[in-house]
Amino acid sequence: MSSYSNLFSPVKIGNVEIKNRIAMMPMGVFSPRLMNQDGSYTKDGADYYIERAKGGTGLIITGLVPLPPGHLPSIVNNVETYVENQRYLVDGCHKYGAKVFIQISALSGRSSTNPADPAPSALPNVFDPSQNNREMTVEEIHKYVEMFAAGAKAAKDAGIDGVEIHAVHEGYLLDQFTIAAFNHRTDEYGGSLENRLRFPTEIVQAIKKACGEDYPVSVRYSVYSKTKGFNRGALPGEDYEEFGRDIEESKIVARKLQEAGYDMLDCDNGTYDAWYWPHPPVYMPAACNLEDVAELRKAVTIPVICAGRFDDPALADQAIADGKIDMMGMGRPLLADPDMANKWMEDREDDIRPCISCHFGCLARIFQIDYATRGTKDISCALNPRCAMENHYNITPAQKKKKVAVVGGGIAGMEAARVCALRGHAVDLYEKTGVLGGVFIPAAAFSFKEHDRRLIEWYRKQMKDTEVNVLLNTEFVKEDAAKYDEVFVATGATENKLKTQGFDSPQVRYAVDVLMNQDIHDQNVVIVGGGLTGCEIAYDLAMKNCKVTIVEQLPEILNVEGLAKANYDMLRDIIDYYDVKVMKNSTVEKYEDGKVSVLETTYNTPNINERAITISLQGIHKIVKEIPADTVVVSVGYTENQELYHAIQAENVHLIGDADHPANLMAAIWGAYTTALEV
Ligand SMILES: Cc1cc2nc3c(=O)[nH]c(=O)nc-3n(C[C@H](O)[C@H](O)[C@H](O)COP(=O)(O)O)c2cc1C
Ligand code: SF4
C-alpha cells in the first residue's frame, strides 16, 4: 500500500469519478505521426497516452486540439471520423481505470507565431512586437462558440469523459479576452469584467446545451499573469506591478467561471510574456505555483488542479489533505517516466527517472520542423527516447547475448550499459575515476539542479538493478577490445582551454573546476563565454553576491540550438534582474593586475524595420575596456576525446555521447539508447 493515502483517494469532477488525484497535464501532441487532421489521435498518439494510463495516472488530459480549421488539425474538420478514431484512445485508457478529458483550443491570439491570427484587440505580437495581431470580429466569436459546442459533442460521442477549454491561461486567446490590458474592445466582449468573461462564459453554456449539464467541462486557468508588460515577465519573488490578472481579480474570475458552469479549474500561472511560469525551466523553484493555486481555491468549490514542477508526492499528499488543491497535475514528469503513479503506489520512488525541466525533448521539440514529414516533430523527452515511440523504441531481448564493454561512466555510457543489460547482454562498464556521472556531475552541481543530481542517482541505481559490472578506477586499454563482442566508446570530452595572455594565473579558472568547488562568492567575476553553461554560472555567482560580467564573442549570448523560449527568456530576465553585464561581440585580450582587457566591437545596427537608426551611421568601432576581475571563469566548450576510438575503430566499436560530438544531454542519451537497441 502507498504512503500517500490522500493522493490515492478518488475525486469527482462533475459526475465523473477519477480513481486518484494524479492528472496528466495537457501537452500539445499535434505532429502528423501522432494526430490526424480530424484532431483525433493516430494509434501511435493514442498509445502514448495509454502508456501513461497504464502507469497509474488517474486522469489523462490530452494536449490541445485546435478548434479553428486551418492548416493545423481541427476537432471540427470531420466530426464523424473523429468520433470513430478516438474510440481506441478512450478504450485504451479506460482499460487501465483512467479517465480521459480532451483539451480544445481557441488558439493563441497575439501569442501566435502568426501575426495574422485574430486577437481580442489589435495588440503587439509576442514574437514580433513590431506587428499587431488584428481584432477578432463578433461573427468570429460566435462561430468559435458554435465550434466549441460541436467539438465537445464529438468528444462526448466518442466516449471521452470530459473536455477542457484552452484557455483562460498563459496569455492564449481566451485569456487575452479576460484581461483588461489585452482587451481594449468597446463592444459586449470588452470593458467590464462581465463583458471580458462573456466569451468563455458563452463557450461553457453552449457546451452544456449540446452535451448535457452533467458533461464535465474544465478550464485551463492562470491564477496570476506574473506579467510586467508586453514581453516582460516577473521573476519569482520579484516586486512588480501586475500588468495582467492579479489575485483579487483572479478570485472573482474563478468564481464567475464556476457560476458560468465550469466544473474544474486546471491551474498554474503566467502568460506568453512570462512564459517561464506556465513552462517552468530548471531555474524555477519546485512546485512554483502551489501557494498561488491554494489561495485561489479558497474562492471556489469546484475541484482545482495545480501543475508546474510539481512531482513531490509527499507535498501533493499534504496539500490535498490541507485542502489547498484537489489534484496534482504533472506534465513533463510523466514524459520522463510514464509509471510515476504506480511507482509511488508501490513506494518505489527511487526508481523514478526525474524530469530535469530542460525542455529540449518536449516543448522546444514540438515546434521544430521535421524535414522528412514537413510537419512538426513529435513530443518526446530528452531522457526518455521511448516517449511517444512506444510502438517503435522498445527494449527487446537481444537475439544473441553478447559480451559488451562500455568505456566511460558518464550519462551516455550508463545509458548504453543500461539498455544493453536490459536486453540481456553481459556488460562491463569501465570508469577510470572512482565515481559514475562524468561531466554531468559538475553540470548538476548548481544549487538549482537538484533534479539533475537525482538523475545521476537514478542512473547509478540502474547500474546495480540491471547488474552491470561496474569497474571503477579502471582504465580500458586498447588490447581489452579483443575480449568483447561490442564496445561502446563513451570517453566524453575535454574542456577547451584558452592561451590568452595572463590566463596562466591561478585566478583564471575553468567551468568544471568552478562548479565542482563552489567556492566563489562576493567577488568581481568575468565569465568568458555566454553559452548556456556560462550564463548559468553567471546566475549562480550573481546569487552569491558576485558582480558578474559575461564576455561573448558573438553578437548574442545563448546561441544554443533547441533551447526553449521559456528557458531562454528566464535566463535573460535573471541576467537583467541581477545586473549581470553582458559584453557582446567581445573578446578577451589579456588578464593583468586583476583586470581583464576586453576588446568590444560595435557595428552599425539598423532599427526594427531594417532602416537607419541614426542620422549619421557609426560604422565599426573597436574599444578596449578594462573590467576588474578577482576571478576569470572560462566556459568555451568542449572537444571530444576520441583517442581510444581511433585506436580500436572497427564495426563493433560504437562512438557515443560527447566523445562523438559534444552536445546536450538529449543527444547523449538518444544516441546511446538507439545504438544500444541495435547491438
Ligand atoms: C511539450 C509541452 C506541450 C504543452 N502543451 C500544452 C497544451 O497543449 N495545453 C496546455 O494547457 N498546456 C500545455 N503545456 C503545459 C503543461 O500542461 C504543464 O502545465 C507544464 O508543462 C508545467 O507542468 P510540468 O512542470 O508538470 O510539466 C505543455 C507543456 C509542454 C512541456
Ligand atoms: S525533455 Fe527535459 S523538460 Fe521535457 S520532459 Fe524530458 S527531462 Fe523534462
Side-chain angles (χ1 to χ4, degrees):
M1 235 347 257
S2 160
S3 321
Y4 308 116
S5 56
N6 299 297
L7 197 53
F8 287 99
S9 64
V11 62
K12 273 190 148 184
I13 304 165
N15 282 338
V16 171
E17 183 167 289
I18 314 292
K19 68 174 176 181
N20 61 36
R21 308 299 185 102
I22 301 165
M24 177 175 178
M25 289 293 90
M27 286 175 287
V29 171
F30 30 67
S31 61
R33 195 175 62 80
L34 303 174
M35 184 180 261
N36 297 309
Q37 272 305 112
D38 62 14
S40 64
Y41 292 99
T42 62
K43 183 168 183 307
D44 278 352
D47 282 333
Y48 148 82
Y49 286 116
I50 293 167
E51 182 78 5
R52 273 93 200 145
K54 185 175 160 205
T57 312
L59 173 63
I60 303 285
I61 308 177
T62 67
L64 69 84
V65 52
L67 181 75
H71 67 283
L72 291 172
S74 158
I75 190 168
V76 292
N77 270 349
N78 186 337
V79 288
E80 272 144 41
T81 56
Y82 178 85
V83 170
E84 195 56 37
N85 290 337
Q86 286 293 66
R87 293 238 161 83
Y88 178 78
L89 168 78
V90 175
D91 293 346
C93 291
H94 285 177
K95 183 173 150 202
Y96 294 105
K99 296 290 191 312
V100 194
F101 283 19
I102 56 142
Q103 193 187 55
I104 310 177
S105 179
L107 295 182
S108 316
R110 66 175 280 269
S111 306
S112 166
T113 47
N114 180 5
D117 281 0
S121 306
L123 292 169
N125 182 266
V126 170
F127 295 93
D128 181 358
S130 70
Q131 298 205 50
N132 275 359
N133 287 73
R134 70 171 172 86
E135 180 169 305
M136 199 171 187
T137 65
V138 171
E139 291 69 37
E140 282 174 315
I141 296 173
H142 292 166
K143 181 76 193 150
Y144 272 48
V145 171
E146 266 173 41
M147 290 191 296
F148 264 112
K153 180 71 172 52
K156 187 180 179 204
D157 290 347
I160 286 162
D161 302 289
V163 291
E164 178 164 290
I165 301 312
H166 183 263
V168 184
H169 176 249
E170 203 179 330
Y172 277 95
L173 179 75
L174 299 177
D175 204 25
Q176 291 160 35
F177 265 90
T178 63
I179 293 172
F182 297 132
N183 182 340
H184 308 149
R185 300 174 76 98
T186 51
D187 60 12
E188 67 271 34
Y189 292 97
S192 67
L193 185 59
E194 278 66 27
N195 281 356
R196 284 185 271 127
L197 285 171
R198 192 175 304 282
F199 196 178
T201 300
E202 288 178 351
I203 289 169
V204 69
Q205 288 169 348
I207 292 175
K208 294 282 181 176
K209 199 163 160 214
C211 301
E213 279 304 315
D214 60 352
Y215 191 61
V217 184
S218 165
V219 60
R220 197 85 216 261
Y221 186 70
S222 292
V223 177
Y224 284 82
S225 299
K226 303 276 184 187
T227 299
K228 293 195 282 189
F230 292 124
N231 265 295
R232 289 174 57 232
L235 290 168
E238 187 176 356
D239 197 15
Y240 76 105
E241 195 178 324
E242 182 61 69
F243 181 71
R245 183 160 50 240
D246 62 16
I247 189 68
E248 281 72 36
E249 183 169 279
S250 201
K251 286 182 171 178
I252 300 168
V253 171
R255 260 196 303 272
K256 286 185 180 298
L257 291 172
Q258 173 173 339
E259 282 160 20
Y262 285 102
D263 299 289
M264 181 168 77
L265 296 170
D266 181 2
C267 298
D268 57 19
N269 283 312
T271 64
Y272 262 74
D273 304 280
W275 221 38
Y276 40 81
W277 284 96
H279 296 285
V282 60
Y283 322 112
M284 268 288 182
C288 50
N289 301 310
L290 180 57
E291 292 311 316
D292 295 333
V293 175
E295 186 56 34
L296 182 90
R297 187 177 180 272
K298 294 177 187 164
V300 292
T301 53
I302 51 177
V304 165
I305 302 184
C306 173
R309 290 209 78 202
F310 191 15
D311 63 354
D312 178 342
L315 184 65
D317 195 73
Q318 192 58 49
I320 293 164
D322 294 344
K324 289 181 165 181
I325 56 169
D326 297 280
M327 297 186 80
M328 90 182 293
M330 288 189 297
R332 296 164 298 168
L334 287 170
L335 303 182
D337 193 329
D339 298 318
M340 290 186 79
N342 284 345
K343 288 178 182 172
W344 284 339
M345 181 79 124
E346 294 157 12
D347 282 335
R348 290 171 49 215
E349 271 163 62
D350 291 355
D351 290 335
I352 291 174
R353 175 170 38 204
C355 162
I356 57 169
S357 300
C358 66
H359 281 139
F360 278 108
C362 53
L363 187 64
R365 194 163 194 266
I366 61 171
F367 291 98
Q368 293 162 10
I369 299 297
D370 181 339
Y371 290 102
T373 64
R374 291 178 181 272
T376 45
K377 288 190 183 167
D378 302 327
I379 193 168
S380 194
C381 170
L383 314 183
N384 177 17
R386 191 171 168 265
C387 174
M389 288 290 277
E390 285 77 11
N391 297 321
H392 305 274
Y393 273 177
N394 286 317
I395 299 179
T396 47
Q399 287 188 340
K400 181 172 170 240
K401 309 289 181 226
K402 294 181 179 172
K403 221 168 153 353
V404 174
V406 176
V407 189
I411 299 290
M414 287 196 280
E415 178 67 5
R418 179 183 83 88
V419 176
C420 285
L422 286 171
R423 297 189 61 222
H425 297 309
V427 185
D428 289 342
L429 172 59
Y430 290 77
E431 169 53 47
K432 68 177 180 192
T433 72
V435 60
L436 293 173
V439 80
F440 203 63
I441 297 174
F446 291 105
S447 59
F448 46 84
K449 294 216 171 166
E450 190 264 330
H451 280 62
D452 293 52
R453 292 192 285 280
R454 250 198 253 170
L455 180 66
I456 298 175
E457 288 311 320
W458 181 83
Y459 267 112
R460 289 175 181 160
K461 182 167 189 298
Q462 292 301 304
M463 295 303 95
K464 288 199 186 106
D465 293 353
T466 57
E467 296 180 6
V468 168
N469 180 31
V470 176
L471 303 161
L472 294 178
N473 301 306
T474 310
E475 188 107 29
F476 181 97
V477 291
K478 64 178 190 214
E479 290 72 24
D480 290 328
K483 296 190 279 187
Y484 294 96
D485 301 313
E486 306 283 345
V487 180
F488 286 81
V489 178
T491 41
T494 304
E495 275 184 298
N496 293 331
K497 301 277 149 93
L498 294 180
K499 293 200 171 103
T500 311
Q501 185 185 334
F503 272 33
D504 49 358
S505 157
Q507 302 315 117
V508 177
R509 297 174 59 185
Y510 284 81
V512 168
D513 162 38
V514 168
L515 289 168
M516 289 306 285
N517 288 296
Q518 299 283 322
D519 54 354
I520 301 177
H521 53 87
D522 301 285
Q523 293 186 10
N524 289 317
V525 179
V526 167
I527 296 173
V528 184
L532 191 54
T533 307
C535 289
E536 288 183 344
I537 292 175
Y539 172 34
D540 186 54
L541 296 182
M543 281 194 289
K544 294 172 180 160
N545 205 28
C546 292
K547 192 163 170 22
V548 182
T549 303
I550 297 174
V551 178
E552 169 57 52
Q553 65 175 357
L554 295 171
E556 272 307 330
I557 55 169
L558 289 170
N559 295 288
V560 183
E561 190 178 349
L563 185 66
K565 168 184 167 60
N567 300 50
Y568 178 87
D569 284 358
M570 185 158 186
L571 264 180
R572 296 297 301 237
D573 279 358
I574 283 170
I575 283 170
D576 288 352
Y577 178 79
Y578 282 102
D579 227 357
V580 171
K581 187 159 188 260
V582 177
M583 300 180 72
K584 303 171 188 173
N585 296 310
S586 296
T587 50
V588 172
E589 301 231 294
K590 62 178 176 184
Y591 179 55
E592 200 173 70
D593 300 332
K595 289 193 189 110
V596 178
S597 301
V598 179
L599 177 68
E600 190 177 42
T601 308
T602 55
Y603 302 91
N604 174 48
T605 326
N607 67 16
I608 54 170
N609 294 323
E610 300 287 327
R611 296 295 179 271
I613 205 163
T614 57
I615 291 179
S616 171
L617 302 188
Q618 66 160 18
I620 297 173
H621 281 271
K622 288 182 183 289
I623 311 154
V624 175
K625 291 184 178 166
E626 297 208 319
I627 317 293
D630 303 303
T631 302
V632 178
V633 180
V634 183
S635 174
V636 291
Y638 290 82
T639 300
E640 53 276 10
N641 297 328
Q642 294 189 342
E643 214 175 297
L644 173 71
Y645 178 71
H646 290 306
I648 61 172
Q649 200 166 351
E651 218 172 273
N652 65 338
V653 177
H654 314 280
L655 188 62
I656 56 168
D658 284 354
D660 182 17
H661 65 283
N664 60 25
L665 193 64
M666 176 163 171
I669 290 176
W670 282 49
Y673 184 91
T674 49
T675 312
L677 284 189
E678 311 241 306
V679 298

